[in-house]
Amino acid sequence: MSITGESSMKQVLLIITLLLMAGCSVIPSLSQPIEITDATGHTETLDGIPDRIAIAGKATIMVQDTIFMFADAREKVIALENRSQSAFSFLPLIDPGLEEKEIFEKNVGPEQIAAVQPELVLMKSFMAEQLGEPLGQLNLPVLYLDLETPEAFYQDIQTLGQVFGDKKRADEISEFYQSRVATIEENLAGVTEDQKPGVLILQYSDREGEVAFKVPPVSWLQTRLVEISGGNPVWKEIDVGGGWIVVNLEQIAAWDPDQIFIISYDGNASDVKIDLMNNPIWSNFRAIQNGQIFAFAYDFYSWDQPDTRWILGLQWLATKIQPELNSNIDIMEEVYEFYSVLYGMDQETIDANVIPILTGDIP
């Protein structure tokens, strides 16, 4: 090699070295302290990106399903709580190592959580006083997920992006949801108030043989889904406080909605719908006479909840409430996209484990 060639090579190597050094200087260390503020305004300073994460408290499925949209959750979630609507009807499909994790009993206490030595505990925001504060007294970092509205959901996704050190994935997830909401909003841009049908969402329950129908609070996700889908929630004038409220037949008759959507968290909304259609009292309601009573879509869980499936629930609702304007939404295609993009499931797995369990009025 000539002197000139050798000199040029040295210059190239020097430039590469300097570029690498410059790049390293802006890449944060995984052990560098990070400060995260969640959707509730609560702030935690962590020693670094946590490697040991526990999930605890009520509404566990909503938290875990959101967390597991990040691939690193499979390795970093080391413990979770087993509650009703069991965590284990869906998670085994996306986390083969689930059996190796610590499974907390229902209503686990702070001492049991501390025993697994988590570097971070994640839970629903309404668990702050009951469980989050006691964990804080044990010097365990806690962050809360709200999930109750689309806006809160997007913020929670960005929080998790910080937790996993993966803003790119957080942005991908947000884009998946926001683009689909935008499609519906564009479809319905010209809809006037008088073109919006009166919609009633009813949760059916028969605990201890006591049949009841309930409506959600105005501030809850179910109400927002109806509004975004181009419907008018007829129960909005009721101040239902902080939870589902029982309504009687007289109130339902007074509303006499154009459409009725039946929710059952036991997965039997289709059976309830058939019973109501054959009931001599319910058959007098306008919605039933016009064939506008629907069993809410359901796979592992009902699609109306502040779980990751709310986007499927929104798309499904939109095709029922304003079917002509939302004819560009293929709900079955969206099911495949949802499980593929958000959970990395291939078509064979979806065909074998998701499609056969779909219930409700799908498509």
Side-chain angles (χ1 to χ4, degrees), residues 183-184 187 319 323-331 333-334:
T183 294
I184 293 171
N187 289 346
T319 63
E324 294 182 2
L325 297 177
N326 289 294
S327 60
N328 58 338
I329 298 175
D330 183 330
I331 197 63
E333 181 179 323
E334 290 299 329

Side-chain angles (χ1 to χ4, degrees), residues 198-354:
V199 176
L200 177 60
I201 281 186
L202 291 173
Q203 184 212 146
Y204 168 86
S205 67
D206 59 354
R207 291 182 180 178
E208 300 178 356
E210 194 76 26
V211 173
F213 290 93
K214 307 174 185 179
V215 294
V218 172
S219 61
W220 278 18
L221 181 65
Q222 290 85 358
T223 308
R224 290 291 306 281
L225 295 183
V226 170
E227 292 175 327
I228 298 171
S229 298
N232 175 31
V234 297
W235 69 92
K236 282 189 70 174
E237 73 274 11
I238 291 184
D239 183 6
V240 298
W244 293 89
I245 186 171
V246 175
V247 291
N248 55 35
L249 277 174
E250 289 76 13
Q251 178 63 77
I252 297 172
W255 283 325
D256 196 16
D258 297 301
Q259 296 180 309
I260 297 175
F261 292 86
I262 301 296
I263 293 168
S264 172
Y265 294 134
D266 293 328
N268 63 340
S270 294
D271 294 335
V272 174
K273 169 192 167 181
I274 293 173
D275 288 344
L276 295 180
M277 291 175 66
N278 294 324
N279 183 292
I281 298 176
W282 283 77
S283 62
N284 290 318
F285 295 154
R286 173 170 44 184
I288 293 181
Q289 291 177 349
N290 295 332
Q292 292 295 297
I293 181 171
F294 303 97
F296 216 99
Y298 188 110
D299 50 31
F300 300 94
Y301 314 112
S302 181
W303 289 3
D304 70 288
Q305 303 177 93
D307 169 73
T308 56
R309 293 163 183 78
W310 69 262
I311 191 63
L312 289 175
L314 174 63
Q315 293 174 295
W316 176 81
L317 264 180
T319 63
K320 301 301 183 187
I321 294 176
Q322 298 285 353
E324 294 182 2
L325 297 177
N326 289 294
S327 60
N328 58 338
I329 298 175
D330 183 330
I331 197 63
M332 292 305 297
E333 181 179 323
E334 290 299 329
V335 169
Y336 283 100
E337 284 290 300
F338 176 87
Y339 283 101
S340 173
V341 174
L342 299 182
Y343 293 107
M345 296 169 63
D346 58 32
Q347 182 172 339
E348 182 179 357
T349 302
I350 298 170
D351 284 337
N353 297 282
V354 178

